[in-house]
Amino acid sequence: MSSLRESLTYDPIELKFGTSGLRDLVVVMTDLECYINTAGFLQFLVENGQLEKGQTVLVAGDLRDSTPRIVGAVSQAIRDGGFTAEYHGLVPTPTIAYYALERDLACIMVTGSHIPSDRNGIKFYKKGGEVLKEDEEPIHVAVSHVREKLYGTELNQSEFYDDGTFKKTPELPAADSRAGEAYSSRYLDVFHGDCLAGKKLVYYQHSAVGRDLLVDLFKKLGAEVVTVGRSDVFIPIDSENVTPENKAYFKRLTEENPGCFAIVSTDGDSDRPFVIDENGEFHRGDVLGAVTATWCKADFAAYPVSTSDAVDNELNKSGVELMRTKIGSPFVIEAMMDGEAKGKERVVGWEVNGGFMLETPITVENGTLKPLPTRDAFFPILVALLSAKQSNISVSQLFGRLQQRFTDAGLIDNFPVEVSKSMVQHFGKDDPKVRHALQTYFSSELKFGNITDINTLDGVRITFDSGDIAHLRPSSNAPQLRIYSVANTPERAAEIVQMCIAEPDGIFRRMQQTLQ
């Protein structure tokens, strides 16, 4: 009899870790592949003394069509391993992460975050928080052992058909509501129930998994909430790639809702925030992080190298110790852990997408807010609204207090990963030859000044004496190349992005041609 691997009617593709978690096309994330990776993660936990037979692992997911099937595969792997799968339904990533922290349990979130619905992902959490970069290789080894064992099983003895689907579809139990309740209590226990009284919010619900939970929270904190844009079809909105269509929609919402204090929303798994002021202007997550850190009276802040330099300038005024990191929550978390180890007492971090992380407890209005060292969207949105309300100013005036450096971001699709990596390797050297080559792309004709610095901490971040910054960064697990820009005007920041991602002969495509 043939083995399962010999019988497979397709060529399986192994899931790989990206910036944060496993992600790939849904067609790649077969029942078999999701099961193998989950079983390997559980084996890693056992080997590290974090999990014993019979213990509970929490599971949740987002609103993608593929999520229930993948949740089923994850849950079945948990049960087959001799553990208890406790399903908490379709809730935000920070919701299940927080509840796992509260109970000192591991958890698994099925989500593709902000990416299109033809893709999905699996995010692992150990006891105490996210899987870090140092964990990825030992997890990969454990997954490889599981893969070898399952692939060697005879097909007639396997749980799977030759197309990678389950022979018997796993059943999901009724969703437990306690994770959502615990997440809500984290805020309702320490913020006054009328802290947003008198403020009208427009909440763009689209297909975000937190669209009801977070609306309920805002209402319980006293806000008047108008919900708009609810969708049964998944919408891949990304706080790092706010499109002209998104911006036009936000403008229209302010016109249709006179008197609104702000428009707010999140991405698909509700860990990336959107804060749009009363004029319809979106405020990026890096400066939102600075506003939140200031309100928290942070003494240590970690954030990625792609963050606007306006953030440094803002926090330096308050004497906050700053640490720039590679892009991705695991790197920010590691830096926060270092800050806490050095004796800092109010340690925070965030990503350019706005997802805010709290490493240490902080005293707020009505008590102590517990740590949540994973991306959270609700807290920075709430803080921005509170900061403006407490100062008796508008949300636009709140952000207007910051140094007016402007950021933008975008990406180009169908850009081969291997080409992106070659580009970083080729141009990621700060020497005269490389500077000369880069100046031919970022030329004076395109209004770039002379290059003053090339930072290769994560991608290639180029600083010009004109004040412009262009930061090229490849995706680690998708055929995309991102551009982050910083400039003295919003028009210039947007122009830099468009010049880089223009098809078919923008800067990125011309750089690609050089390497082929």
Side-chain angles (χ1 to χ4, degrees), residues 269-280:
D269 68 325
S270 296
D271 69 348
R272 297 179 176 215
F274 286 80
V275 174
I276 299 99
D277 67 30
E278 73 282 0
N279 299 316

Side-chain angles (χ1 to χ4, degrees), residues 210-222:
R211 60 189 179 184
D212 294 322
L213 177 64
L214 301 192
V215 165
D216 181 65
L217 263 173
F218 282 120
K219 287 180 177 179
K220 287 180 177 176
L221 293 175

Side-chain angles (χ1 to χ4, degrees), residues 167-195:
K167 292 177 179 177
K168 181 180 180 181
T169 302
E171 293 185 7
L172 290 179
D176 193 316
S177 64
R178 288 177 293 169
E181 293 166 358
Y183 180 81
S184 295
S185 294
R186 177 175 188 255
Y187 295 106
L188 297 176
D189 288 349
V190 299
F191 288 98
H192 295 294
D194 61 351
C195 65

